[in-house]
Amino acid sequence: MQYALIVRESSRDFARRADPTYRDGWIAYTQALIQAGIMTGGAGLTAPETGTVVRRKGEDHDVQDGPYPEGKEQLGGFYLIDVPDFDTALEWATRVPVSAEGSVEVRPRLQM
Amino acid sequence: MTVEAERVAERVARQFYGKLVAFLAARSRDLPAAEDALSQALVDALRVWPERGIPDRPEAWVLVAARRNLMRAARHRSVRENARPTIVLAFEEAEARMNEVATDALPDERLKLLFACTHPQIDKGIHTPLMLQVVLGIDAKAIAQAFVVSPAAMGQRLVRAKANIRDTGIGFAIPDRHSLPERLSAVLSAIYAAYGLGWDNLDGADGGCSGLSSEAIWLCRALLSMLPEEPEVIGLLALMLYCEGRRAARHNAEGEYIALDKQSTDRWNAIMLAEADTLLRKAGAANRFGPFQCMAAIQSVHAARRLTGLTDWDALVILYDALLMMQPTIGARVSRAAVLGRTKGPKAGLASLDAMDAREIRAYQPYWAVRAHLLTEVGDYPAAEAAYLSAIGLSDSPAVRCFLMDRLTDVRSGVA
């Protein structure tokens, strides 16, 4: 079954991406997923300030530069994994090297 | 007055929950109903005691109230279901028996409850949560936290498991001589899992302990009080005490992880370790060796470093060989390879790791940590680097990750 591991990080976390130790943690985790043969997709994203949020305003659009206004945690990236059940997906979620300020959300992929 | 009542009710719940549920469930064979009846009785207590005063024997009051609730519910059901005369009869017999028994001689039926929760017909994965909820009254959310499971899913599984016990008529009885060893093994495994360790964990030394370790030890002590001569029960208690006794040394003041061979033995709890040593000797006297005694013996070798300053690696190889004959798990195999690395050198340890099934160890963190260490010793730095990255990626502890990262840095900078 397919699940998404949605990673959210604080602004301090994003600042730490330049630190090789922090980066190594993510490289190591990604390698572990691939080695286990369960990673089916995913992507890391650049910092929230580099994004732009588009909303509808009637027939028009509202365009705001990032970061996304609500919440201290911002989307950092996501993994798509294929594992036997939800418990296993949670187990892999505990290995994601988020800091104490980050989080990992596990959600099943929509089957079309 | 209400605060006083709350305090007493809470004490009754904490001290007697398991006993009361066991007593109620044993007769009705209906765990969900027993728990409901008990919860309702505690609610009634909080309502009634502030007005009428706290009784001299609050636990007896709660028991009588719970029994009444149970019988009311059963009669309600039997009327609805139109004939379950056996249930009503069982209750009436139970009521008669209860009136004979002096209220201070509440029979300890927790043992039957422990066996019921770990019955072979119940899915193994739910044994531990069932036991924790039914005997210790821990709620599903807390259990879910301890084992990193969705709280809603845990709640549903527990409800289903208890209904299963009721519907399949699983008995509340102590197994006979013939099936006792196997059934007891299931109970012990469930308690071990509650401690936070399972057969897959590396050697008890650094296992991730769940937040329920004191509950697990309590359960084992309760089990031991009911089966005082069973060597495997003694062995499990000794094993958990060895692990608990070294827990404080596993992290330094800054929260950094300290490996077993680098731990300062004066941070070990000497009293706990001494108790573990005594228990292990007592278990040995029964001359019925088993996997839990074996794992405890392994830990006692490590613990002996506080007395002798050394670790007897040769003894460890022998003990791991014995463990593998009884319980061939990947945890034991990896641990043995690490020990072999000390007695016969890193190449021998690596050979032992190479012989393991690739599918089994692909996502097994301890394998990669041990492998990385042995590869470093052998001087194969590129392979060691890759193995360290795997171990880091598979770690669920930030402290362990940090520790492994430091080792990786040493390898990369040629300091290893």
Side-chain angles (χ1 to χ4, degrees):
Chain A
M1 294 190 54
Q2 301 223 21
Y3 300 91
L5 300 178
I6 302 158
V7 179
R8 292 185 175 87
E9 302 170 85
S10 71
S11 41
R12 272 199 286 240
D13 294 329
F14 282 105
R16 239 191 301 162
R17 282 181 173 189
D19 176 0
T21 311
Y22 191 62
R23 252 202 340 256
D24 273 343
W26 291 97
I27 295 171
Y29 180 72
T30 309
Q31 178 180 299
L33 281 180
I34 295 170
Q35 198 175 300
I38 61 170
M39 181 160 163
T40 60
L45 303 173
T46 54
E49 301 77 52
T50 63
T52 301
V53 183
V54 177
R55 282 200 169 93
R56 298 215 66 94
K57 220 171 52 176
E59 283 293 305
D60 283 326
H61 296 93
D62 176 81
V63 181
Q64 298 281 340
D65 283 330
Y68 198 81
E70 282 96 59
K72 289 174 294 175
E73 288 179 349
Q74 296 282 337
L75 189 61
F78 65 99
Y79 292 100
L80 290 170
I81 61 174
D82 197 330
V83 290
D85 53 42
F86 198 85
D87 281 355
T88 311
L90 275 176
E91 207 182 297
W92 280 99
T94 65
R95 296 170 170 151
V96 178
V98 282
S99 75
E101 297 173 337
S103 69
V104 182
E105 179 184 353
V106 181
R107 249 202 269 177
R109 184 173 177 166
L110 197 58
Q111 308 293 339
M112 297 287 212
Chain B
M1 188 55 204
T2 348
V3 173
E4 179 73 21
E6 265 172 37
R7 233 184 3 93
V8 176
E10 200 219 329
R11 183 179 60 78
V12 169
R14 224 179 334 114
Q15 273 181 268
F16 295 103
Y17 189 86
K19 278 189 182 171
L20 293 173
V21 167
F23 188 72
L24 295 166
R27 276 139 187 85
S28 65
R29 292 185 173 206
D30 190 335
L31 255 177
E35 287 187 308
D36 285 343
L38 188 53
S39 311
Q40 185 57 45
L42 288 166
V43 166
D44 293 340
L46 287 175
R47 198 187 61 239
V48 170
W49 291 351
E51 296 167 31
R52 305 214 205 127
I54 297 171
D56 288 328
R57 324 265 343 283
E59 66 276 7
W61 191 101
V62 170
L63 177 61
V64 169
R67 240 175 53 224
R68 245 197 331 254
N69 293 336
L70 252 186
M71 294 185 58
R72 203 179 300 134
R75 280 196 204 107
H76 201 56
R77 253 203 321 276
S78 77
V79 162
R80 263 187 318 168
E81 287 165 359
N82 192 38
R84 286 248 250 155
T86 35
I87 297 181
V88 179
L89 186 62
F91 275 124
E92 278 161 17
E93 282 177 39
E95 176 129 75
R97 256 200 310 269
M98 289 278 295
N99 292 329
E100 298 165 29
V101 171
T103 34
D104 59 354
L106 186 71
D108 200 337
E109 313 237 309
R110 281 175 299 177
L111 188 55
K112 294 182 188 169
L113 207 50
L114 286 174
F115 280 113
C117 288
T118 56
H119 194 277
Q121 262 180 276
I122 303 173
D123 179 68
K124 269 216 189 89
I126 201 72
H127 285 185
T128 300
L130 245 188
M131 214 173 55
L132 288 170
Q133 177 156 104
V134 164
V135 180
L136 296 179
I138 300 174
D139 71 65
K141 271 212 200 94
I143 298 172
Q145 290 290 341
F147 298 106
V148 190
V149 169
S150 146
M154 179 59 81
Q156 284 163 12
R157 284 177 211 167
L158 284 166
V159 165
R160 266 203 301 268
K162 286 184 243 174
N164 193 22
I165 291 179
R166 179 192 58 210
D167 296 339
T168 57
I170 284 176
F172 286 75
I174 300 182
D176 59 48
R177 210 77 290 240
H178 170 72
S179 35
L180 186 66
E182 198 181 304
R183 296 292 306 280
L184 187 58
S185 168
V187 174
L188 295 175
S189 294
I191 296 177
Y192 192 40
Y195 183 71
L197 291 171
W199 296 105
D200 282 340
N201 285 97
L202 191 67
D203 140 56
D206 300 328
C209 297
S210 74
L212 300 169
S213 37
S214 25
E215 279 82 355
I217 291 177
W218 187 94
L219 267 174
C220 199
R221 288 195 192 276
L223 182 62
L224 188 57
S225 71
M226 297 180 266
L227 296 173
E229 305 303 319
E230 281 294 336
E232 279 290 89
V233 181
I234 304 173
L236 174 61
L237 183 57
L239 173 60
M240 291 192 293
L241 287 174
Y242 280 123
C243 296
E244 268 311 274
R246 296 196 315 248
R247 211 216 274 237
R250 208 170 292 145
H251 296 95
N252 65 14
E254 285 81 46
E256 293 171 333
Y257 170 80
I258 313 288
L260 177 59
D261 57 349
K262 295 284 190 305
Q263 285 173 12
S264 157
T265 62
D266 46 63
R267 295 196 72 203
W268 290 353
N269 184 329
I271 297 172
M272 236 180 233
L273 296 178
E275 186 189 353
D277 283 340
T278 309
L279 285 167
L280 190 57
R281 267 195 300 274
K282 175 169 183 214
N287 227 342
R288 271 190 291 142
F289 204 49
F292 282 108
Q293 289 168 80
C294 193
M295 289 194 289
I298 287 168
Q299 293 312 312
S300 81
V301 169
H302 286 296
R305 181 159 71 83
R306 79 190 185 287
L307 304 167
T308 64
L310 304 163
T311 306
D312 188 345
W313 298 105
D314 293 309
L316 284 174
V317 176
I318 295 172
L319 285 168
Y320 274 115
D321 285 340
L323 182 59
L324 283 169
M325 275 198 288
M326 294 182 286
Q327 207 93 36
T329 62
I330 44 175
R333 296 242 285 287
V334 171
S335 301
R336 182 179 173 279
V339 168
L340 212 58
R342 299 259 191 176
T343 56
K344 293 252 168 26
K347 278 218 191 91
L350 280 168
S352 179
L353 288 180
D354 288 338
M356 293 182 72
D357 185 343
R359 277 164 309 168
E360 280 192 313
I361 48 83
R362 231 168 21 173
Y364 186 57
Q365 194 267 6
Y367 172 92
W368 296 99
V370 170
R371 188 177 184 85
H373 177 73
L374 292 172
L375 284 167
T376 310
E377 295 206 314
V378 143
D380 187 348
Y381 298 133
E385 204 179 314
Y388 268 121
L389 279 174
S390 294
I392 290 164
L394 291 167
S395 297
D396 63 5
S397 150
V400 168
R401 223 179 276 136
C402 239
F403 166 80
L404 292 170
M405 293 261 210
D406 286 343
R407 296 257 167 124
L408 174 61
T409 309
D410 289 344
V411 167
R412 278 176 172 164
S413 53
V415 179

